[in-house]
Amino acid sequence: MDEFAIGVDLGGTNLRIAAVDGSGEILDCVDTLTQVSQGREATVARLTDAVRFICHKFSGTHKLLGVGVGLPGIIDLEAGTLHSAANLPGWNDYPAREDLEAKLGVTVILENDANCAALGEKWLGAGRDVNDLCMITLGTGVGGGFVVNGKPWHGVLGMAGELGHMTVIPEGAPCGCGNHGCLEQYASAGAIHRLASEAADSGRSPCLAQARLTDPELSARSVHTCASTGDAAAIEIFHAVGKALGIALANLINAFNLPRYIIGGGVAKAWDQFSPSMFHELHERSIVFRAGEQAKRSHRSTEVTPALLQDRAGLLGAARLPMIMCGTKCRNSMVS
Amino acid sequence: MDEFAIGVDLGGTNLRIAAVDGSGEILDCVDTLTQVSQGREATVARLTDAVRFICHKFSGTHKLLGVGVGLPGIIDLEAGTLHSAANLPGWNDYPAREDLEAKLGVTVILENDANCAALGEKWLGAGRDVNDLCMITLGTGVGGGFVVNGKPWHGVLGMAGELGHMTVIPEGAPCGCGNHGCLEQYASAGAIHRLASEAADSGRSPCLAQARLTDPELSARSVHTCASTGDAAAIEIFHAVGKALGIALANLINAFNLPRYIIGGGVAKAWDQFSPSMFHELHERSIVFRAGEQAKRSHRSTEVTPALLQDRAGLLGAARLPMIMCGTKCRNSMVS
């Protein structure tokens, strides 16, 4: 009997549940909304209903390994508790593992959403051929995840991968975390919106001012379009994105010398605009990156590359969790 | 029969060889000079003579596990070759493992000296109670080493731990590596010498100008003495040391969230002078460090602490290598 696992990607907006087989093929997927306003219990009920629905569909032909759940925010992995998540108000201190295991009767493995994305890319994406990687996700904020020896790296407090709050400009823009000059203040969609609004307000960029008429949020996509048509202010914004990313990556590469650093998230679609500045900083600032370039023929270089799985990385990584973490200890008798 | 291993700490100045038992006790130690001016062959002959001398002394009572050798510079661990070391001119591309194994007839394990120090502190020093740690050594330059899951972490190119070249001030002082604002430009004995000389030249510090009469090199020790007597310029230098260290550590903690970060090397003796600024930056810049402080009762905090083994860390770490890396594959029949 073939095996499969269920992956759950629970975000502040979207809730997705998929059955995935050992080769990474998505057998079935439920794509719905989290609808935080309806309260936690309603979301959890929709989640467990979808898991049961999918399970029953495959119970005759496949053996369930377990359920992996990717969550935003700070998770106490030992206790199986969601400590807090900015995008899930009312979910603080939710004993997710215990609650979901009681409701489903199968093994549930929690994981930080950024680590899920990193694990997804390791399994089926831009990190397929390596065992150790770092993934930086450029979304509304900047998230980070590490895979070490093929598994998510959590750190002593489960808080490894807070790459959005690495200091890149010590006296730079203030950040909500209390620091100044965090990577997130330069390389996130939020930062791009802030910098683009400033440019539009100042009159420096007719293109961005025009774009704001149809896209009041000035998304990274709109700024990218302006940059692609040669708007100097928009180009400068992606230059700042690349410079900040390059400083952070140079530090990460000098420290850990992993074989692969993967850039994902919506902003990564502007790769053509920010990557030249990023690589310029990397070359200047990382002796380890340069040494890797020289050693390229021996396949021991450090590569910085765009993500491949787009928004399915987290879902696939969540489904991968039971496959690599469970062993024979998983419970797989579904509670109907 | 008790087991023992031999550790070799080969630096640009000192060459030390010790027999160490499984509990970390140094059974015997040869402390000599590298004397690079006499050429590589002379140093290697002294090294192998000392290893043989120690081995024969214990051959009747102890079983040799192997020889661990800590080397400065860039090592190709796969090939067992010392690629290059600034402090060992004439040693470039030296096939150290092959040569030493042929001469000694026992298993030889090479390791970067900074990783040896980290492993020594993990075994017997400030990291005894953890499996994962980072060590920053503040010497003439700034070195770094990681222990992950109890073993040295090398990175894909064997160059992990280049922490001295992490960018802390993007537009800061130029560094020999080609970057600007490297940690090494603020937190090494070399940087302290540079900053102290500038202060003495400028007339801002009568204390440092006076100290230079008896210590032309203006060592970290002399600057520490001036700072301890209240000299404002000397105090400011250690403030810069602490600030740079704090920025680098905040980034490392946000990224990997290891349980222990250890500060060693000669400059670490000025802990009282630089650590307040260091912890100030850490509190301000690392949400993970702050979360760890709050979780202290649950023993999951990230601690930043001075090294305990001083200049024996590298020697003990080198001796530890055969104990954790060899398994049953070591050869231990000494060639006389």
Side-chain angles (χ1 to χ4, degrees):
Chain A
M1 197 183 249
D2 286 343
E3 294 179 335
F4 80 115
I6 291 183
V8 177
D9 184 6
L10 173 58
T13 307
N14 296 300
L15 169 62
R16 288 184 302 168
I17 300 102
V20 183
D21 73 11
S23 71
E25 197 187 335
I26 294 181
L27 305 173
D28 200 3
C29 185
V30 173
D31 209 322
T32 178
L33 296 171
T34 307
Q35 293 179 297
V36 281
S37 60
Q38 295 183 3
R40 192 184 78 201
E41 279 308 311
T43 304
V44 169
R46 224 162 34 255
L47 190 163
T48 51
D49 282 350
V51 171
R52 282 197 201 94
F53 168 78
I54 288 179
C55 273
H56 287 150
K57 200 160 165 180
F58 296 98
S59 61
T61 53
H62 291 70
K63 185 188 156 211
L64 177 67
L65 288 172
V67 178
V69 181
L71 292 163
I74 297 170
I75 304 164
D76 186 331
L77 292 162
E78 220 169 281
T81 304
L82 177 63
H83 182 263
S84 65
N87 295 329
L88 295 175
W91 289 62
N92 285 9
D93 297 318
Y94 169 50
R97 189 172 61 211
E98 195 186 343
D99 187 42
L100 294 174
E101 287 194 341
K103 283 175 171 141
L104 293 169
V106 299
T107 296
V108 171
I109 301 174
L110 306 184
E111 186 55 82
N112 175 279
D113 55 357
N115 275 346
C116 282
L119 189 59
E121 290 287 341
K122 188 262 164 290
W123 186 26
L124 301 162
R128 281 192 306 279
D129 54 331
V130 296
N131 259 329
D132 308 295
L133 64 81
C134 169
M135 179 163 176
I136 304 183
T137 302
L138 310 178
T140 311
V142 171
F146 288 97
V147 171
V148 175
N149 293 325
K151 294 187 176 177
W153 178 263
H154 298 121
V156 63
L157 202 67
M159 282 183 74
E162 284 287 357
L163 305 182
H165 300 290
M166 286 182 75
T167 303
V168 291
I169 313 281
E171 316 299 333
C175 181
C177 77
N179 188 15
H180 282 75
C182 287
L183 175 61
E184 186 162 295
Q185 294 304 317
Y186 302 94
S188 64
I192 289 170
H193 164 73
R194 186 189 83 235
L195 295 166
S197 300
E198 286 169 12
D201 289 343
S202 72
R204 279 187 290 126
S205 170
C207 185
L208 288 170
Q210 179 71 30
R212 192 157 57 174
L213 298 177
T214 51
D215 174 17
E217 289 302 310
L218 272 178
S219 66
R221 188 182 196 150
S222 296
V223 184
H224 186 220
T225 302
C226 280
S228 300
T229 59
D231 181 77
I235 289 170
E236 185 56 36
I237 288 168
F238 284 110
H239 173 72
V241 170
K243 181 174 177 180
L245 267 177
I247 293 172
L249 282 166
N251 284 346
L252 290 170
I253 292 170
N254 279 348
F256 242 43
N257 189 199
L258 303 183
R260 194 71 41 84
Y261 294 76
I262 298 168
I263 313 296
V267 175
K269 288 173 188 156
W271 180 267
D272 63 319
Q273 286 293 331
F274 69 76
S275 66
S277 309
M278 180 183 79
F279 282 114
H280 174 82
E281 296 291 324
L282 271 172
H283 274 282
E284 190 156 323
R285 297 190 186 278
S286 174
I287 49 171
V288 179
F289 183 77
R290 287 200 304 269
E293 288 281 283
Q294 286 162 12
K296 217 158 196 174
R297 281 166 305 176
S298 67
H299 305 290
R300 291 192 292 166
S301 64
T302 283
E303 281 180 41
V304 180
T305 177
L308 291 181
L309 302 181
Q310 314 307 335
D311 60 359
R312 289 186 310 155
L315 186 63
L316 289 165
R320 184 65 172 162
L321 289 166
M323 301 183 194
I324 62 170
M325 309 294 268
C326 266
T328 53
K329 287 190 296 180
C330 283
R331 282 193 299 159
N332 52 25
S333 54
M334 177 66 58
V335 175
S336 294
Chain B
M1 199 183 246
D2 287 341
E3 293 179 335
F4 79 116
I6 291 183
V8 177
D9 183 8
L10 172 59
T13 307
N14 295 299
L15 169 62
R16 287 183 305 168
I17 299 102
V20 183
D21 74 10
S23 72
E25 197 187 336
I26 294 180
L27 305 172
D28 201 3
C29 184
V30 173
D31 209 324
T32 178
L33 295 173
T34 307
Q35 292 179 299
V36 281
S37 60
Q38 295 183 2
R40 192 184 78 201
E41 278 308 312
T43 304
V44 169
R46 223 158 40 251
L47 189 163
T48 51
D49 281 351
V51 171
R52 283 197 199 92
F53 167 78
I54 288 180
C55 274
H56 288 149
K57 200 160 165 181
F58 295 99
S59 60
T61 54
H62 291 70
K63 185 190 157 208
L64 178 67
L65 288 172
V67 177
V69 181
L71 292 163
I74 298 170
I75 304 165
D76 185 332
L77 291 162
E78 219 169 283
T81 304
L82 176 64
H83 182 262
S84 64
N87 295 328
L88 294 176
W91 289 62
N92 285 10
D93 297 317
Y94 168 50
R97 189 172 63 211
E98 194 185 346
D99 188 42
L100 293 174
E101 288 194 339
K103 283 175 171 140
L104 293 168
V106 299
T107 296
V108 170
I109 301 174
L110 307 185
E111 186 55 82
N112 175 279
D113 54 359
N115 275 346
C116 282
L119 189 61
E121 290 287 340
K122 189 265 164 287
W123 185 26
L124 301 161
R128 281 191 308 276
D129 54 330
V130 295
N131 259 328
D132 309 295
L133 63 81
C134 169
M135 181 164 175
I136 304 183
T137 302
L138 310 177
T140 310
V142 170
F146 288 97
V147 172
V148 175
N149 293 325
K151 293 187 176 177
W153 179 264
H154 298 121
V156 63
L157 203 67
M159 281 183 76
E162 283 287 357
L163 305 182
H165 299 290
M166 286 181 75
T167 303
V168 291
I169 313 281
E171 317 300 333
C175 181
C177 77
N179 189 15
H180 282 76
C182 287
L183 175 61
E184 186 162 295
Q185 294 304 317
Y186 302 93
S188 64
I192 290 171
H193 164 73
R194 185 189 85 235
L195 296 166
S197 299
E198 286 168 12
D201 288 344
S202 72
R204 280 186 290 127
S205 171
C207 185
L208 288 170
Q210 179 71 29
R212 192 157 58 174
L213 299 177
T214 52
D215 173 18
E217 287 304 310
L218 272 178
S219 66
R221 189 183 196 151
S222 296
V223 183
H224 186 221
T225 303
C226 279
S228 301
T229 60
D231 181 77
I235 289 171
E236 185 55 37
I237 288 169
F238 284 110
H239 173 72
V241 170
K243 181 174 177 178
L245 266 177
I247 293 172
L249 282 166
N251 284 345
L252 290 170
I253 292 170
N254 279 347
F256 309 121
N257 189 200
L258 303 183
R260 194 70 42 84
Y261 293 76
I262 299 168
I263 314 296
V267 175
K269 289 174 187 154
W271 180 266
D272 64 319
Q273 286 292 331
F274 69 75
S275 66
S277 310
M278 179 182 80
F279 282 115
H280 174 81
E281 296 291 326
L282 271 171
H283 275 281
E284 190 156 324
R285 297 191 187 276
S286 175
I287 49 172
V288 180
F289 183 77
R290 287 200 304 269
E293 289 280 284
Q294 285 163 11
K296 216 159 197 174
R297 283 165 305 176
S298 68
H299 306 290
R300 291 192 292 167
S301 63
T302 284
E303 281 180 42
V304 180
T305 178
L308 291 180
L309 302 180
Q310 313 307 336
D311 60 359
R312 288 186 310 154
L315 186 63
L316 289 165
R320 184 65 173 162
L321 289 166
M323 301 183 193
I324 61 170
M325 309 294 269
C326 265
T328 53
K329 288 190 297 182
C330 283
R331 281 193 300 160
N332 52 25
S333 54
M334 177 65 60
V335 175
S336 294

